[in-house]
Amino acid sequence: MVATPLGNLGDITRRALDILAAVDHVAAEDTRDTTRLLAHFGLVSKCFALHRHNERTGAAKLLELLSRGESVALVSDAGTPGISDPGGLVVAAARAAGHRVVPVPGPSALTAALSVAGLAETGFVFAGFLPPKSGPRRNRIQELDLAGLPMVFYEAPHRIAASLADLEAVCGGARAVVVARELTKLFEEVHRCPLAEAQAWLAADRNRQRGEFVLIVEARAEPAATARTREAETVLHLALEELPPARAAKLAAKITGGRREELYELALKLNEAKTHQTPP
Ligand code: SAM
């Protein structure tokens, strides 16, 4: 699985070039694009097509080649194959057939955008592309936002405005968004602003609506009190696995600084819920 540049050809890795030169075949999402890429580096094309619409037949061909002892590099149009790109099915099938599957890491729009987003947290939720229709899109955003982590999306130019509108509707205008566009290319832009200002920023210049986008929405701010309650509940849950409610509440209060009486009441409720659970 060989990563290729997002735009700037200087981002190809030495190992990617060595592998692309050495393999017997290259399975490519777009054979014309990959042939151009190979030609740029003075490599001959040995491409066959493996894309979303022929992933099964393409995978069968790839397995056939591997079973003959030939080597295959899989590349997508740009970035890392398998990330919102074909590749997952093939990897699973190749591994199931006993072949070694090796990552040749390199550029990805996901990591490139995250690296300049300036997030304080280390975690994030990546969900690839959002649904094309507004209703399901809003539901998806709402669902992902429950994780309380920054959310990262890929987006296409014809849906960028609508997605920003739905992100604002669900997350509120005060939340910050990072719009990372045309990364590593001539018109690269990384813009951070509150969601309330994002649509106006996009509309202010028609060129901003062109190209490829990654959107990163900062995590929702949880009121400190809610965060403390959550922590106490987590500790209580764990303590209840070993202790009766009164002692679990006492321990949780000690650890988290929460109120013992409240935690005891909660412990009783949790215990009751547990005893009413139907076994799996
Ligand atoms: N597998 C690829 C990767 O690792 O980056 C992503 C493939 S996905 C089909 C294509 C999407 O990635 C685009 O619609 C866009 O959201 C994002 N993308 C790709 N290149 C980009 C770039 N240069 N700048 C910003 N986003 C990019």
Side-chain angles (χ1 to χ4, degrees):
M1 303 296 282
V2 180
T4 55
L6 299 173
N8 188 325
L9 296 181
D11 291 337
I12 192 114
T13 66
R14 285 182 63 163
R15 187 163 166 235
L17 286 178
D18 289 347
I19 299 276
L20 291 171
V23 286
D24 299 309
H25 307 274
V26 176
E29 191 182 3
D30 185 318
T31 52
R32 275 178 310 176
D33 279 356
T34 302
T35 299
R36 261 198 299 274
L37 179 79
L38 294 172
H40 177 86
F41 292 105
L43 301 174
V44 292
S45 178
K46 36 200 165 176
C47 295
F48 67 92
L50 199 154
H51 44 69
R52 210 172 304 285
H53 306 293
N54 80 343
E55 199 170 353
R56 276 179 199 284
T57 51
K61 172 166 181 174
L62 193 147
L63 289 185
E64 162 69 19
L65 295 169
L66 292 179
S67 69
R68 279 198 245 141
E70 297 179 21
S71 55
V72 185
L74 189 147
V75 303
S76 61
D77 277 356
T80 302
I83 301 184
S84 292
D85 260 344
L89 269 180
V90 189
V91 168
R95 194 167 288 124
H99 301 292
R100 199 157 77 98
V101 185
V102 183
V104 182
S108 171
L110 170 66
T111 49
L114 278 167
S115 74
V116 288
L119 298 176
E121 302 92 338
T122 44
F124 59 89
V125 180
F126 172 61
F129 290 94
L130 280 165
K133 294 217 171 102
S134 183
R137 184 161 56 218
R138 287 188 183 201
N139 289 341
R140 184 97 178 102
I141 296 167
Q142 215 155 29
E143 203 177 271
L144 295 167
D145 203 26
L146 287 176
L149 290 168
M151 298 181 282
V152 188
F153 305 103
Y154 283 163
E155 199 43 280
H158 60 284
R159 278 205 279 270
I160 186 74
S163 282
L164 283 172
D166 283 342
L167 283 166
E168 183 185 352
V170 175
C171 303
R175 198 92 72 87
V177 63
V178 174
V179 182
R181 147 171 196 272
E182 292 292 87
L183 294 171
T184 80
K185 300 186 195 177
L186 193 58
F187 297 108
E188 175 181 276
E189 260 181 303
V190 178
H191 181 75
R192 183 186 169 107
C193 66
L195 273 167
E197 293 167 20
Q199 288 170 79
W201 176 81
L202 195 73
D205 180 344
R206 275 185 34 210
N207 288 323
R208 286 186 186 148
Q209 292 150 52
R210 299 203 171 117
E212 304 196 89
F213 296 84
V214 181
L215 297 176
I216 302 180
V217 180
E218 72 172 0
R220 65 192 171 136
E222 224 175 16
T226 317
R228 267 201 307 277
T229 310
R230 266 209 208 191
E231 187 199 354
E233 283 180 21
T234 308
V235 172
L236 197 57
H237 256 293
L238 292 173
L240 275 172
E241 283 176 14
E242 304 292 334
L243 300 170
R247 289 182 59 201
K250 191 174 165 189
L251 184 69
K254 246 191 196 158
I255 294 173
T256 65
R259 291 193 49 220
R260 190 166 138 187
E261 304 74 29
E262 277 173 23
L263 288 168
Y264 178 59
E265 262 177 45
L266 184 62
L268 291 177
K269 278 191 200 144
L270 290 173
N271 236 14
E272 201 181 62
K274 223 166 39 181
T275 49
H276 286 106
Q277 260 173 17
T278 43

